[in-house]
Amino acid sequence: MYERHGLLTTSDGQVMILAGSTLGGGTTINWSCCIETPEHVRAEWVHEHGLTQFEPGGEFDSSMEHVLRRIGAKRDHIALNGMNLKLEKGLKAMNAKYEYTKQNLRDCEAASAGYICFGDRTGNKNGALSTFLVDAAKNEAKIITNARANHVLFDAADNSKASRKAVGVSLSVGDSVFNVKAKRCVISAAGSLHSPCFLLRSGLANSHIGKHLHLHPVVGALGEFSDSIHGYLQAPMTIACKDVSMGPKLDGYGAFIECPSTHPGLAAATLPWINAEKFRQNISKLKNLSANIVLQRDKSEGRIRLSDDGFNPIIDYDLIADDKTSMSEGLIVATKALIASGAEQVCTASNTDSGISFTDEMDKETPLVNRLESKKAKAYLALMKKKGIEKHSIGVFSAHQMGTCRLSVSPNRGVCDENGETWDCDDLYICDASTFPTASGANPMCTTLAISHMVSSRIVKRLQYEDNSLTGDLLLKTRRLIEEHKVKRNERKLHLHRENSNYKLWNVISVVVLVFAALYFQRIISAASERLDSSLPKLF
């Protein structure tokens, strides 16, 4: 159900990664939090990446409206579980801004809503299993489970790597290998971890494949309360605090404060390790614990490489200073919210953090709103700020992977063009979170679905045009768009080919120049050495 059974990490072990590896992907095991792509992120994609389809009022908006309607995402039936109630209480005390998040659950109050991270066998969630895959099956799509996509099949008549065309996929099911022929196109929806692996196995050479990986790194704070929280029941993530979402530099690279799902397995991986006895005490009080997490929109960029088995991804990723600073700022806000909501014990997920206690008589007499002004609270928060995000000392997690086959206006800026078609291979499309130009800065399910719908809609128009099934103004408009895109796509590919040819030529010229320079200087040195020898007195 999870990639590597939930034990996937980055290559250096710094970040623990949760990624769906089942039918329906991340929508089957995620926490049902539905947040549209933030406006400042879309503006960045338009102005810095040239992707005009993300402009307000455009086709991305239409796709977003469609997917939100199809998955039933709404906030008018929100019910806050124990953790989200504590977060709301703390944020109110701090006068912090927050909002209720849309949910694609039929019943947020059902206890089973807390178990959606295990696949939602009750059918409470409108994930891909109960929406888009059902639609596909009704339209005669064949779904094969436990299958492995080996590589793309290319047109045998085309020997030029510069203009290859996808005509199918090599597929393994158990010990059997099949060639699945594609009549019109091939679409990869393997996610940000496996789509780049699929392209690399297929021999595609775009230098951006697997690069620009974003993880929305997460750190967290824990609070112990005298009353029962039962954070593992009901919808887990129904509030988002955006007070620090613009980041310390106000550049849009900040963090959301949210609540996670806290079942024993994930909680055990999150709790700080001080010693065995402390860990036993913490895990035994799970029903009284509330957690606030900091979800960072990361500037940090990682990379996906193929492992030695040629199939599994190796994830290289390291946090840059800007992200650490922003995460530290967010962690202080998350911790303050726990203190202000009445937690008796508070700590972060750092194994160097012994936490802070509010259990003596003076603490009990102090109004919650004034706790943050106490000397020990200020000292604790100041120490947190000083420590920052220490590598391998504080638990860092990720449930969002994005950007390894990103959309772009040129093959020297990304893997796919504006239509989601790979620059290296015609008729090969990507429809998943790997197409994100940057981190989305919000829970990415809705953005992923909207981009996939937008790309799919463009593919449909192309196929309808090729089938001569369009008429009137729609035919004229579609013909113009397709022909213009085809011309631009070929021009950009040709431009890159020329750049690469010039680059190779300059490399050859540089090598030749260096060789001649080396020979020239060698002759000068030899001549100087001979003159020196002849001018020295002969001692022997």
Side-chain angles (χ1 to χ4, degrees):
M1 185 163 288
Y2 285 86
E3 191 74 23
R4 310 277 180 90
H5 308 290
L7 300 175
L8 180 65
T9 70
T10 52
S11 57
D12 63 356
Q14 180 187 10
V15 185
M16 174 182 165
I17 296 172
L18 295 176
S21 183
T22 187
L23 188 63
T27 70
T28 301
I29 50 87
N30 72 10
W31 301 341
S32 296
C33 181
C34 301
I35 302 178
E36 294 99 317
T37 322
E39 291 181 8
H40 66 273
V41 175
R42 290 178 55 178
E44 183 179 329
W45 292 358
V46 172
H47 300 298
E48 295 187 22
H49 293 265
L51 299 167
T52 56
Q53 62 265 50
F54 293 103
E55 290 178 343
E59 59 183 308
F60 180 74
D61 277 340
S62 299
S63 290
M64 181 66 77
E65 290 173 8
H66 174 86
V67 299
L68 290 176
R69 185 167 56 251
R70 185 65 186 91
I71 64 175
K74 51 189 178 181
R75 61 168 60 92
D76 58 6
H77 65 317
I78 292 298
L80 304 183
N81 72 352
M83 279 201 302
N84 285 274
L85 283 171
K86 293 297 184 185
L87 175 58
E88 182 179 45
K89 183 178 181 180
L91 294 174
K92 280 184 175 179
M94 297 162 57
N95 291 317
K97 297 176 183 177
Y98 67 91
E99 65 181 39
Y100 300 128
T101 61
K102 295 178 181 178
Q103 304 286 307
N104 62 325
L105 292 170
R106 294 181 175 88
D107 184 0
C108 289
E109 293 187 78
S112 62
Y115 291 83
I116 52 177
C117 57
F118 299 121
D120 183 40
R121 66 178 183 174
T122 63
N124 189 5
K125 180 167 59 173
N126 293 314
L129 275 178
S130 56
T131 56
F132 298 108
L133 290 177
V134 171
D135 297 342
K138 287 180 179 178
N139 286 277
E140 301 183 358
K142 293 180 174 62
I143 299 172
I144 304 172
T145 58
N146 297 315
R148 173 183 293 187
N150 299 318
H151 57 81
V152 178
L153 300 175
F154 300 105
D155 188 349
D158 187 1
N159 296 319
S160 170
K161 287 189 176 183
S163 58
R164 288 187 295 185
K165 181 178 179 181
V167 295
V169 176
S170 169
L171 191 70
S172 292
V173 182
D175 295 329
S176 302
V177 179
F178 304 91
N179 286 342
V180 180
K181 298 297 180 67
K183 294 181 180 179
R184 311 295 289 273
C185 65
V186 173
I187 301 173
S188 172
S192 297
L193 301 182
H194 281 285
S195 274
C197 292
F198 177 58
L199 300 186
L200 291 170
R201 284 196 301 273
S202 301
L204 272 65
N206 185 293
S207 62
H208 293 273
I209 295 173
K211 295 182 179 179
H212 316 296
L213 171 68
H214 298 283
L215 294 178
H216 277 170
V218 166
V219 290
L222 298 164
E224 180 187 332
F225 292 81
S226 58
D227 52 326
S228 295
I229 305 298
H230 298 298
Y232 38 82
L233 298 178
Q234 300 181 302
M237 188 177 280
T238 50
I239 282 182
C241 170
K242 300 182 178 180
D243 254 22
V244 290
S245 63
M246 293 309 291
K249 295 184 175 180
L250 301 179
D251 57 359
Y253 283 86
F256 280 13
I257 313 299
E258 301 171 321
C259 291
S261 175
T262 53
H263 289 274
L266 185 57
T270 307
L271 288 171
W273 180 267
I274 307 297
N275 55 54
E277 178 60 22
K278 184 67 173 176
F279 181 83
R280 185 191 68 78
Q281 291 175 3
N282 285 336
I283 199 69
S284 67
K285 297 174 181 176
L286 182 60
K287 71 176 183 178
N288 301 101
L289 295 182
S290 188
N292 293 339
I293 60 172
V294 179
L295 188 149
Q296 173 67 27
R297 184 188 180 211
D298 47 333
K299 293 179 183 177
S300 307
E301 291 193 348
R303 177 190 174 199
I304 298 295
R305 295 182 286 124
L306 272 176
S307 61
D308 290 340
D309 65 9
F311 181 78
N312 288 303
I314 295 175
I315 305 167
D316 299 325
Y317 183 89
D318 201 15
L319 285 168
I320 64 172
D322 280 358
D323 288 336
K324 289 181 180 180
T325 300
S326 179
M327 291 166 72
S328 180
E329 179 183 89
L331 189 57
I332 289 173
V333 174
T335 304
K336 283 182 175 180
L338 288 168
I339 295 173
S341 63
E344 295 184 344
Q345 304 276 346
V346 177
C347 70
T348 64
S350 170
N351 56 24
T352 63
D353 181 8
S354 56
I356 184 173
S357 174
F358 295 93
T359 55
D360 58 36
E361 289 303 318
M362 185 176 295
D363 293 324
K364 293 178 181 178
E365 293 175 2
T366 303
L368 293 181
V369 70
N370 295 332
R371 278 189 179 181
L372 293 173
E373 299 303 318
S374 65
K375 288 183 179 180
K376 65 178 179 181
K378 288 184 176 180
Y380 178 67
L381 295 170
L383 181 60
M384 280 181 57
K385 184 174 182 179
K386 182 179 179 180
K387 284 183 176 180
I389 306 300
E390 302 171 293
K391 187 172 183 178
H392 296 308
S393 289
I394 189 168
V396 183
F397 306 87
S398 167
H400 306 155
Q401 303 85 43
M402 304 153 282
T404 51
C405 299
R406 68 183 187 181
L407 298 173
S408 61
V409 295
S410 167
N412 56 14
R413 296 189 65 182
V415 176
C416 301
D417 67 15
E418 302 96 312
N419 287 348
E421 189 174 14
T422 62
W423 290 106
D424 283 14
C425 180
D426 294 341
D427 294 342
L428 174 60
Y429 293 83
I430 309 293
C431 282
D432 56 39
S434 71
T435 58
F436 288 20
T438 68
S440 62
N443 303 64
M445 175 176 65
C446 295
T447 303
T448 304
L449 293 175
I451 289 179
S452 298
H453 181 270
M454 181 177 66
V455 169
S456 300
S457 299
R458 289 188 171 197
I459 295 173
V460 167
K461 287 181 181 178
R462 192 203 97 183
L463 299 183
Q464 289 175 335
Y465 172 71
E466 292 175 355
D467 289 341
N468 297 315
S469 59
L470 300 177
T471 58
D473 292 341
L474 183 58
L475 170 62
L476 296 176
K477 181 180 178 180
T478 303
R479 175 188 295 159
R480 177 176 58 79
L481 291 174
I482 288 176
E483 295 303 324
E484 285 179 357
H485 178 74
K486 190 178 295 184
V487 170
K488 289 180 180 178
R489 177 177 166 86
N490 290 333
E491 286 177 349
R492 293 165 184 168
K493 290 170 70 174
L494 180 61
H495 179 69
L496 180 65
H497 178 69
R498 286 172 177 166
E499 281 187 347
N500 289 339
S501 298
N502 291 337
Y503 178 73
K504 291 175 182 178
L505 177 61
W506 278 112
N507 276 347
V508 171
I509 293 173
S510 298
V511 169
V512 171
V513 169
L514 287 174
V515 169
F516 277 107
L519 292 173
Y520 176 73
F521 285 114
Q522 184 179 19
R523 291 182 62 184
I524 291 176
I525 293 170
S526 295
S529 178
E530 289 176 1
R531 288 196 297 271
L532 182 61
D533 289 343
S534 63
S535 63
L536 291 174
K538 293 183 179 180
L539 301 177
F540 303 100

